[in-house]
């Protein structure tokens, strides 16, 4: 393993000054309190404070939601193409100014630059996709009316008025903005709660959206303590799109249920990767390393468990250890590191505790296994373990760090059984030269997405396909048709060309019943649906 430290360690990216900061914090919705003090995160590269943002109160959140609600009807009345124009301009500005936000993401969250760039790629793709495909996803749908010929019926999509979006720190741009774009395109107004670790990235995006021409009030951003601010958001919106941990997801679901509002919940995983006997072991090892250590292992769909056919176990293990030891770990504002820092002391403590617990109960560290203080305060070595058993915390508990454990299986059945252990069901992967057989295996894995011959990025980057969890990994889907339709309500519009449906004036009920029975029999004979 190679390690690198940044030349600018201890210093924020040079272009960020007070004027820039003010241009972002002006978007914090704190009209009532004027900012209840400030909130300052800790930068992972040097454990020094980043920059303060105003902290909002629940009253600020309620006011922000009311302002968004008042602005929503005008926004929804615009033609879809007018809203799409704003999103496409946002796309262009994002691509043009990507270096700014990539610096910010790295500074606030600590990931390697390539993974910060992937957030730009993902959000740009989402903006383009929904701006282009949105009209198809939201199109009116004609259906057969109650009385064919004289009634016409269609289902239309009505935007929610105010959508709440709560996102975590691990992808502050992708998860902060990726759901905002389809919500706004659907005609809803949005109130976003930034994660306290990464508010500047979201505020940067908010300022950019204003440059792209978004009307002032339709996207509100609140920054404040996680639970109080998040709960205030749920209390004031018509739908909540939550991304975060499974325990918080349960709290969010209960609060949303109390208000009878809809929710999508994108939660944690414990994602398995199966290496079949026929897999290309070089590809499988590279794919495993990419998927296990991406985002320093702080990615919801990253791989934490690798189930390997026993005939190729030793060869795969050797290849994976070599791949892992080839990772460049570093804190640099360029593309020369593969793996960055963990995001916080809390993350470092959790990852260290999982590895220490496993080792104390008999697991073997094949490589890595410890913090890298010579790289940075929260850096941790990419780690491969074997001999992990059920009583170890990291066996089925999400580690959310650059740590992967190897398991042996003597058949596809056994591999699927191990992959399906636990309650989580977010993402999975199968490596095999036989894509048809891998497809059959994938269908038996309880996960919202299964990649074949890729570790994680393929499904997540395929924006036209839904993304979400089974089991305790969540409810609902982002991306694809569901990713925008969830921000609307379905409304049925039914029209009659013969007045009210029922017996005509002067017609007896018996006659009407006879007509109805006649229609049932005729349609049955015709084989009509
Ligand atoms: P978290 O649940 O602690 O926090 C997520 C967000 O919820 C933060 O903005 C936080 O401030 C807010 N929050 C905290 N308490 C709240 C409450 N009571 N009500 C409303 N909001 C509240 O999650 P985290 O540890 O910051 O993020 C990592 C987790 O997120 C991991 O489990 C990861 O797997 C998961 N995740 C899932 C996806 C996905 O798409 N499925 C994507 C990224 C991360």
């Amino acid at each position: 393993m190679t390690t690198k430290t940044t030349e600018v360690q201890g210093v924020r990216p040079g272009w960020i000054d007070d004027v820039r900061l003010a241009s972002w914090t002006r978007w914090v919705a704190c009209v009532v309190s004027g900012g209840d003090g400030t909130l300052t995160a800790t930068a992972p590269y040097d454990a020094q404070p980043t920059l303060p943002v105003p902290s909002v109160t629940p009253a600020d959140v309620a006011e922000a939601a009311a302002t968004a609600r008042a602005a929503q009807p005008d926004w929804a009345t615009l033609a879809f193409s007018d809203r799409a124009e704003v999103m496409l301009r946002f796309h262009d500005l994002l691509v043009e100014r990507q270096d700014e936000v990539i610096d910010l993401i790295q500074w606030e969250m600590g990931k390697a630059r390539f993974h910060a760039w992937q957030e730009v790629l993902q959000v740009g793709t989402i903006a383009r996709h929904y701006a282009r495909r949105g009209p198809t996803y939201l199109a009116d749908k004609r259906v057969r009316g109650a009385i064919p010929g004289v009634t016409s019926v269609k289902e239309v999509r009505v935007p929610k008025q105010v959508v709440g979006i709560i996102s975590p720190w691990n992808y502050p741009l992708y998860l902060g903005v990726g759901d905002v774009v389809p919500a706004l395109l659907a005609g809803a107004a949005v109130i976003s709660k930034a994660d306290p670790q990464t508010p500047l990235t979201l505020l940067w995006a908010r300022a950019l959206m204003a440059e792209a021409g978004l009307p002032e009030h339709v996207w509100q951003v609140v920054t404040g303590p996680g639970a109080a601010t998040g709960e205030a958001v749920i209390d004031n919106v018509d739908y909540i799109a939550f991304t975060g941990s499974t325990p918080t997801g349960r709290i969010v679901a209960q609060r949303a249920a109390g208000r009878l509002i809809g929710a999508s919940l994108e939660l944690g995983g414990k994602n398995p990767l199966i290496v079949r006997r026929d897999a290309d072991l070089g590809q499988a090892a590279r794919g495993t390393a990419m998927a296990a250590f991406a985002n320093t292992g702080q990615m919801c769909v990253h791989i934490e468990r690798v189930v390997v056919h026993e005939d190729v176990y030793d060869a795969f293990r050797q290849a994976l250890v070599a791949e892992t030891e080839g990772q460049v770990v570093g804190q640099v504002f360029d593309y020369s590191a593969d793996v960055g820092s963990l995001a916080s002391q809390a993350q470092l403590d959790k990852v260290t505790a999982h590895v220490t617990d496993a080792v104390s109960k008999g697991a073997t560290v094949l490589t890595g296994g410890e913090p890298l203080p010579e790289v940075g305060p929260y850096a941790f070595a990419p780690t491969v373990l074997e001999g992990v058993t059920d009583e170890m915390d990291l066996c089925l508990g999400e580690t959310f760090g650059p740590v992967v454990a190897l398991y042996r299986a003597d058949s596809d059945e056994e591999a699927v059984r191990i992959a399906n252990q636990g309650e989580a069901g977010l993402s999975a992967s199968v490596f095999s030269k036989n894509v048809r057989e891998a497809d059959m295996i994938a269908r038996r894995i309880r996960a919202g997405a299964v990649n074949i011959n890729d570790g994680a990025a393929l499904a997540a980057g395929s924006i036209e396909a839904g993304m979400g969890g089974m089991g305790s990994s969540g409810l609902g889907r982002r991306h694809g048709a569901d990713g925008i339709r969830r921000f609307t309500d379905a409304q049925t519009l039914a029209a009659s060309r013969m007045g009210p449906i029922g017996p005509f004036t002067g017609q007896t009920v018996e006659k009407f019943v006879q007509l109805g029975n006649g229609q049932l029999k005729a349609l049955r004979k015709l084989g009509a649906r």
Side-chain angles (χ1 to χ4, degrees):
M1 178 176 49
T2 312
T3 59
K4 288 183 131 213
T5 45
T6 174
E7 287 159 21
V8 292
Q9 188 170 2
V11 182
R12 71 186 188 212
W15 59 273
I16 301 175
D17 56 22
D18 289 351
V19 175
R20 294 283 193 140
L21 178 64
S23 74
W24 305 329
T25 53
R26 98 170 238 351
W27 291 104
V28 176
C30 55
V31 173
V32 178
S33 72
D36 182 29
T38 56
L39 197 92
T40 309
T42 299
Y45 283 179
D46 58 3
Q48 294 299 308
T50 57
L51 287 169
V53 298
S55 184
V56 308
T57 62
D60 289 320
V61 177
E63 180 61 24
T67 305
R69 196 174 293 283
Q72 186 268 342
D74 284 350
W75 175 243
T77 306
L78 290 179
F80 185 93
S81 57
D82 291 338
R83 295 196 294 272
E85 225 174 84
V86 175
M87 294 307 144
L88 290 171
R89 272 199 301 270
F90 174 76
H91 168 282
D92 295 348
L93 288 169
L94 176 66
V95 173
E96 208 178 284
R97 305 254 289 275
Q98 59 178 279
D99 282 344
E100 290 180 18
V101 75
I102 290 172
D103 278 357
L104 267 177
I105 294 170
Q106 285 197 276
W107 186 44
E108 286 199 291
M109 193 271 169
K111 64 179 72 179
R113 198 164 185 83
F114 177 63
H115 302 120
W117 170 79
Q118 283 181 327
E119 298 203 48
V120 171
L121 176 69
Q122 195 79 339
V123 171
T125 306
I126 287 170
R128 201 187 59 247
H129 178 72
Y130 283 115
R132 298 286 181 227
R133 285 295 293 275
T136 309
Y137 289 145
L138 300 179
D140 294 355
K141 183 177 157 205
R142 288 207 164 277
V143 298
R144 192 196 311 270
I147 305 182
V150 291
T151 55
S152 67
V153 179
K154 59 191 172 195
E155 288 175 2
V156 303
R157 314 296 313 189
V158 180
K160 306 272 186 190
Q161 285 187 294
V162 184
V163 165
I165 294 179
I166 299 178
S167 49
W169 45 264
N170 66 328
Y171 279 89
L173 181 68
Y174 164 42
L175 298 174
V177 183
D179 289 337
V180 173
V181 167
L184 287 172
L185 278 170
V190 173
I191 174 163
S192 292
K193 192 199 84 61
D195 190 281
Q197 172 80 36
T198 51
L200 299 174
T201 299
L202 188 61
L203 290 167
W204 179 92
R206 178 61 190 90
L208 200 74
M209 196 66 96
E211 275 187 53
L214 188 75
E216 171 101 14
H217 297 304
V218 294
W219 182 15
Q220 305 280 327
V221 179
V222 290
T223 51
T229 315
E231 287 168 13
V233 169
I234 301 165
D235 289 348
N236 285 282
V237 297
D238 309 316
Y239 183 88
I240 186 78
F242 173 82
T243 307
S245 65
T246 298
T248 310
R250 290 187 204 279
I251 296 170
V252 170
Q254 281 171 9
R255 208 163 179 105
R259 293 200 57 236
L260 280 181
I261 60 168
S264 53
L265 304 166
E266 305 283 349
L267 310 179
K270 186 71 193 177
N271 309 306
L273 181 151
I274 293 175
V275 181
R276 295 186 78 213
R277 182 169 34 190
D278 74 342
D280 176 320
L281 296 186
Q283 276 188 16
R286 198 165 62 87
T288 301
M290 285 165 71
F293 309 133
N295 222 40
T296 325
Q298 300 164 120
M299 174 167 82
C300 57
V301 293
H302 92 123
I303 292 298
E304 299 204 350
R305 300 181 293 147
V306 186
V307 189
V308 188
H309 194 282
E310 62 183 5
D311 291 356
V312 293
Y313 185 92
D314 291 345
F316 175 80
R317 176 176 57 185
Q318 195 179 356
L320 179 61
V321 168
E323 282 286 346
T324 305
E325 292 180 346
Q327 299 287 308
V328 177
V329 184
Q331 302 192 154
V332 280
F333 287 96
D334 62 33
Y335 289 98
S336 62
D338 301 312
V339 179
S341 169
L342 288 168
S344 62
Q345 183 68 50
Q347 277 297 108
L348 180 67
D349 291 347
K350 182 170 176 209
V351 172
T352 307
H354 264 198
V355 173
T356 307
D357 170 75
V359 171
S360 73
K361 290 172 181 163
T364 304
V365 175
L366 298 176
T367 184
E370 49 193 24
L372 295 173
E374 68 276 24
V375 174
Y378 310 141
F380 197 92
T383 297
V384 183
L385 300 174
E386 69 177 357
V388 169
T389 52
D390 289 355
E391 69 274 16
M392 300 174 190
D393 290 341
L394 69 60
C395 182
L396 293 176
E398 189 185 38
T399 304
F400 221 51
V403 179
V404 71
L406 299 184
Y407 301 83
R408 285 174 195 269
D410 59 12
S411 63
D412 288 339
E413 280 60 41
E414 176 68 354
V416 169
R417 188 191 66 74
I418 295 171
N420 281 337
Q421 275 179 340
E423 291 186 349
L426 189 58
S427 183
S429 167
V430 181
F431 273 80
S432 170
K433 285 190 186 130
N434 189 328
V435 173
R436 196 184 55 79
E437 286 179 14
D439 186 302
M440 300 306 286
I441 291 170
R443 287 164 197 265
R444 291 159 53 202
I445 301 176
R446 210 170 40 85
V450 185
N451 295 279
I452 296 174
N453 294 328
D454 181 81
L458 181 57
S462 303
I463 302 297
E464 209 168 329
M467 192 77 205
M470 295 185 188
S472 66
S473 292
L475 296 171
R477 295 288 179 269
R478 62 161 51 100
H479 300 175
D482 288 350
I484 188 164
R485 286 192 187 136
R486 66 189 158 142
F487 301 125
T488 64
D489 283 312
Q491 183 182 54
T492 298
L493 293 183
S496 165
R497 278 185 278 277
M498 54 172 270
I501 303 294
F504 307 116
T505 316
Q507 189 185 35
T508 64
V509 173
E510 285 78 5
K511 192 71 194 160
F512 185 78
V513 169
Q514 254 178 22
L515 267 176
N517 284 334
Q519 176 179 316
L520 279 178
K521 284 179 191 156
L523 291 175
R524 171 80 174 87
K525 235 183 207 159
L526 289 169
R529 285 176 290 128

